[in-house]
Amino acid sequence: MRRIKIVTVLFFLFFLLIWTRLFYWQIIQGKILASDALSQYTTEYSIYPKRGNILTRDLFSLVTNKSAYLAYAEPKKLPEESEYITKLASLLELEEASISARLQIDKSWVSIKHGLAKDKRDEILDLGIPGIGFEEESKRFYPESSSSAHLLGFVGKDVSGYPAGYFGLEGFYNEVLGGKSGFVRQEKDAIGLPIPIGRENRIDPVDGSDLVLNIDRGMQQLIETNFKKGIARYGAKSGGVIVIQPKTGAILAMASLPSYDPGFYSQYDSALYKNPLIADTYEPGSTFKILVMAAAINEKVVQPDTYYNELGPVEIQGYTIRTWNDEYTGKITMTQVLERSSNVGMVFVGEKLGLDKFYEYMVSYKFGQKTGIDLQEEVSSKLRPKSEWRKIDLATASFGQGIALTPIQLIRAAATLANEGLLVTPRVASEIRFAVGEAVKLETPQPEQVIKPSTAAILSEMMVSAVENGEARWAKPKGFRIAGKTGTAQIPIAGHYASDRTIASFIGFAPVDDPGFIMLVILREPSSSPWGSETAAPLFFDIARDLFAYLDISPR
Amino acid sequence: MKLARSTKIILTLVILLVIVQLLVSSRLSVIGRNLSALEEQHKILSQENEIFEQKIASNSSLLTIRFQAKKLGFNKLAEVLFVDDAFYVVQR
């Protein structure tokens, strides 16, 4: 009887041991084992979406994709002899020492080089080096090459290693262009092939949408070519050109230099990535006078034929304000104030307008706010509170000094003069085309009336007169009515204006009766001459000549 | 020994089912391979399409057109002449 009891207890203990072990494997280790088993009979992989193309208004791909490969190594599988490194270095165009250092890292996987072309991958595969492999990756391709890098931005990687757009359109429309990744988990057979009737979890990727721009390919190419020549001709350090359709705010072309190659962005100084036309502020100088004059005429405090007696420099709060050439011609009209770009004449206009009204118009022109352009890195300097403005601040601001704007803010405000006083929002993109075939037009905010249409018409004529009789009249194309204004702004350095360093600019629109474009040309520190009338203005007219031919605009 | 009719039917069915299973299994294993091959082919064709798209974009880019035009002897007009539609005369 006792032996039976012992055997029973032993059996019980034996089964308890088995249950304990089963509990351990099935409950405690169950999930891990199930996952291990799953990885043995299933395969998992992500499907990356195709990034959307960026198309010009004629639906040409300004940016598209091309297949590229990442070369990687599994150091533990590499051959003992190091002869292969020489061959690999020569094909990959890398230093032998650099490859050698990478391969000695104690890791199971190391990347060697991104962005390899298919033929290069095939050449390396032909070497048959064990432990060297390739992963497919997508690379952006720029058929027009171009200096429009500032407009486009580039595609890099985010913190998780996924492609992400930075700067310009790639940054602003990253989610639209990027799409969503997909995922597949399916059962596989003994040799790794999928089992068609096996279990499958699939989330299909959503390809990125295409972006259709307002950019006119011909115009973009035309301004890029002319601008490159202009920068070289006038010896400017940097600069930019913006062309806008004044009635809609559509950006037709935009280029700035120095630029970078978005396909090889990492080889350039990161300071070049941001678009200076939307991300850098500057003092607009005399180009700003047209906006102050428009405000004064709109408020009826002056008229084009109102006289100002230009007798000499003006003293305000201990500061002396002079004309650009220190010449004073006595009685001049407001039209002549713009023609001669008289600073003291504009001080008179500023005083007539008064700080309250001046400030009111600055707010109406939306200075101190971003324009809302669809490019990622836009900035705006703040408009100082009205209480901080002194008499001298109003005086200098009336001729464009002591006030900082981005070029896009200036051209947007000036476009009101070519658009019956309406302030539009500048837009680069016009439409999103989804991968499934639908398209959505991008809405732009309703334009706001800043000045009366009659004021805009008066200012247009005053600007025509400034072109016909101003310092830059020698460069103007004959037969065309162009409204414009030169600008030469000194560069503030450590609280003073550098006398020998200027930002030369010209802003104008044409044809005046029905403006097809408004264009701003900026040259930073031109060395051939510091004056806008001798650098930016002739460059503006050179580009305008080509634009007239391109847009079928005939002389009158 | 004589088997009952029902037993014969069951045995026949079992044999038939075994044959069907063997056939289906062998066919499925081929389908898996075919599926892989089709996916690979799809990938290759997509890549080829992408390469063709790139070539079309490159060849129709203004940069290429300008280069080709220059090679063929075309030059940019030094001065554009406009026909005055009011008087039908050429104006410089």
Side-chain angles (χ1 to χ4, degrees):
Chain A
M1 197 61 191
R2 192 165 167 250
R3 266 192 279 176
I4 289 170
K5 276 183 184 172
I6 290 168
V7 169
T8 310
V9 169
L10 280 176
F11 262 102
F12 182 74
L13 285 173
F14 181 67
F15 279 110
L16 189 68
L17 197 70
I18 291 172
W19 286 332
T20 312
R21 203 66 189 149
L22 280 175
F23 181 82
Y24 174 76
W25 286 119
Q26 294 203 345
I27 308 297
I28 297 171
Q29 290 288 325
K31 279 185 183 167
I32 298 166
L33 291 175
S35 149
D36 286 351
L38 196 68
S39 67
Q40 283 176 10
Y41 66 85
T42 61
T43 178
E44 289 178 3
Y45 56 93
S46 295
I47 312 174
Y48 294 108
K50 189 181 155 203
R51 196 169 173 90
N53 295 337
I54 300 180
L55 313 167
T56 51
R57 61 168 47 202
D58 62 345
L59 304 183
F60 178 84
S61 291
L62 210 51
V63 187
T64 181
N65 301 300
K66 73 171 180 184
S67 289
Y69 297 89
L70 158 70
Y72 67 84
E74 294 173 277
K76 284 169 190 164
K77 295 182 186 171
L78 289 169
E80 295 276 311
E81 307 80 40
S82 58
E83 288 160 16
Y84 70 93
I85 294 180
T86 313
K87 292 176 190 169
L88 206 58
S90 135
L91 282 171
L92 292 173
E93 292 164 12
L94 290 172
E95 294 286 326
E96 270 185 55
S98 152
I99 295 188
S100 197
R102 275 166 191 256
L103 301 184
Q104 279 166 11
I105 296 170
D106 188 24
K107 281 185 181 172
S108 55
W109 191 98
V110 283
S111 76
I112 304 177
K113 191 172 180 181
H114 283 275
L116 289 177
K118 188 175 176 291
D119 50 355
K120 193 66 84 180
R121 180 202 68 162
D122 294 344
E123 278 181 61
I124 297 169
L125 278 177
D126 287 345
L127 295 175
I129 306 167
I132 297 290
F134 296 89
E135 262 182 27
E136 201 181 328
E137 58 183 9
S138 186
K139 203 178 166 200
R140 290 304 239 178
F141 174 61
Y142 305 88
E144 290 287 4
S145 177
S146 95
S147 60
S148 52
H150 286 133
L151 188 71
L152 302 171
F154 59 84
V155 177
K157 304 263 181 204
D158 65 10
V159 283
S160 322
Y162 290 110
Y166 297 94
F167 297 94
L169 290 160
E170 295 277 18
F172 192 90
Y173 290 104
N174 184 43
E175 287 192 10
V176 174
L177 291 164
K180 280 184 182 166
S181 298
F183 175 79
V184 174
R185 178 190 287 149
Q186 59 188 184
E187 287 183 346
K188 61 180 180 184
D189 63 18
I191 53 169
L193 295 172
I195 301 171
I197 54 162
R199 274 186 299 170
E200 183 186 77
N201 298 327
R202 176 183 283 266
I203 301 167
D204 286 324
V206 180
D207 282 344
S209 307
D210 290 347
L211 200 61
V212 182
L213 307 184
N214 289 315
I215 295 292
D216 184 302
R217 183 161 62 119
M219 226 184 257
Q220 179 70 22
Q221 208 254 353
L222 189 152
I223 68 154
E224 282 175 12
T225 312
N226 277 295
F227 190 61
K228 266 184 200 162
K229 284 182 194 164
I231 281 257
R233 190 185 307 143
Y234 301 114
K237 281 192 175 170
S238 60
V241 182
I242 314 175
V243 185
I244 292 184
Q245 204 168 52
K247 288 187 173 62
T248 59
I251 306 276
L252 299 172
M254 184 187 253
S256 49
L257 290 169
S259 188
Y260 65 96
D261 184 341
F264 301 94
Y265 63 92
S266 57
Q267 295 171 10
Y268 293 81
D269 183 352
S270 59
L272 289 175
Y273 295 164
K274 63 177 184 175
N275 184 345
L277 295 170
I278 59 159
D280 282 350
T281 58
Y282 78 119
E283 292 194 6
S286 298
T287 50
F288 193 70
K289 289 172 181 165
I290 52 175
L291 301 175
V292 181
M293 188 66 84
I297 288 177
N298 206 49
E299 288 300 315
K300 296 191 171 122
V301 293
V302 294
Q303 293 299 322
D305 53 2
T306 302
Y307 280 105
Y308 166 67
N309 205 1
E310 193 188 61
L311 294 173
V314 175
E315 293 282 334
I316 297 173
Q317 291 182 318
Y319 295 93
T320 307
I321 293 167
R322 304 170 192 280
T323 55
W324 62 276
N325 54 4
D326 215 10
E327 287 175 10
Y328 305 89
T329 45
K331 274 179 88 176
I332 53 171
T333 62
M334 291 300 109
T335 302
Q336 288 170 318
V337 165
L338 286 188
E339 285 174 7
R340 293 169 196 193
S341 201
S342 168
N343 291 344
V344 289
M346 285 310 298
V347 172
F348 165 77
V349 176
E351 282 173 353
K352 282 275 184 188
L353 190 60
L355 178 60
D356 288 344
K357 284 290 172 192
F358 177 89
Y359 199 85
E360 204 176 279
Y361 277 91
M362 295 303 103
V363 173
S364 302
Y365 284 128
K366 309 264 184 204
F367 295 142
Q369 292 178 39
K370 291 181 184 178
T371 62
I373 191 171
D374 44 350
L375 296 174
Q376 194 184 38
E377 65 272 28
E378 189 188 12
V379 299
S380 168
S381 61
K382 280 186 181 169
L383 196 60
R384 272 179 297 156
K386 200 164 67 178
S387 56
E388 291 178 13
W389 283 66
R390 297 169 299 158
K391 208 176 168 192
I392 183 66
D393 296 324
L394 172 64
T396 56
S398 65
F399 56 88
Q401 279 197 346
I403 189 157
L405 302 176
T406 58
I408 193 72
Q409 282 179 315
L410 179 73
I411 195 171
R412 180 203 194 190
T416 56
L417 308 176
N419 185 31
E420 299 183 332
L422 289 167
L423 187 78
V424 290
T425 302
R427 285 285 161 157
V428 184
S430 63
E431 188 180 303
I432 292 172
R433 295 188 164 203
F434 298 106
V436 286
E438 288 173 14
V440 174
K441 290 267 176 209
L442 292 168
E443 295 290 321
T444 47
Q446 200 67 20
E448 290 174 38
Q449 195 80 45
V450 178
I451 54 169
K452 288 177 263 190
S454 57
T455 307
I458 292 168
L459 249 294
S460 298
E461 289 306 322
M462 290 172 84
M463 287 168 73
V464 169
S465 192
V467 169
E468 299 287 344
N469 306 310
E471 291 293 319
R473 59 185 177 275
W474 58 275
K476 186 201 154 260
K478 284 176 191 163
F480 293 96
R481 270 166 52 79
I482 301 172
K485 181 74 193 81
T486 54
T488 305
Q490 289 169 306
I491 299 174
I493 297 167
H496 293 91
Y497 286 105
S499 55
D500 55 337
R501 294 165 71 181
T502 60
I503 297 175
S505 57
F506 191 92
I507 191 160
F509 54 89
V512 172
D513 304 323
D514 183 17
F517 66 88
I518 177 165
M519 174 164 60
L520 172 63
V521 175
I522 296 176
L523 293 172
R524 198 177 180 89
E525 297 183 47
S527 57
S528 65
S529 159
W531 306 110
S533 57
E534 291 169 5
T535 53
L539 178 55
F540 176 99
F541 293 132
D542 281 347
I543 300 174
R545 255 184 215 99
D546 284 353
L547 285 180
F548 291 142
Y550 183 75
L551 296 171
D552 287 336
I553 298 171
S554 307
R556 287 188 66 189
Chain B
M1 195 175 79
K2 216 174 179 183
L3 290 172
R5 197 167 169 227
S6 58
T7 314
K8 280 182 185 171
I9 292 169
I10 289 167
L11 272 174
T12 314
L13 271 174
V14 167
I15 291 164
L16 270 174
L17 283 172
V18 168
I19 292 167
V20 167
Q21 196 191 353
L22 283 171
L23 283 172
V24 168
S25 302
S26 72
R27 192 162 172 74
L28 280 180
S29 64
V30 178
I31 287 174
R33 185 167 292 148
N34 288 349
L35 189 68
S36 271
L38 280 173
E39 279 176 355
E40 189 58 31
Q41 207 177 349
H42 175 259
K43 201 172 154 185
I44 291 167
L45 288 172
S46 299
Q47 278 178 356
E48 279 180 7
N49 273 346
E50 207 173 72
I51 291 167
F52 284 134
E53 277 174 24
Q54 282 167 35
K55 280 188 179 166
I56 291 168
S58 284
N59 290 335
S60 56
S61 74
L62 292 175
L63 276 179
T64 311
I65 292 169
R66 195 168 53 159
F67 176 73
Q68 292 294 339
K70 210 170 176 180
K71 224 165 82 174
L72 291 168
F74 288 92
N75 275 316
K76 193 187 160 192
L77 263 185
E79 193 176 9
V80 179
L81 299 177
F82 293 91
V83 176
D84 190 320
D85 58 0
F87 304 106
Y88 300 101
V89 290
V90 174
Q91 187 182 357
R92 251 177 220 281

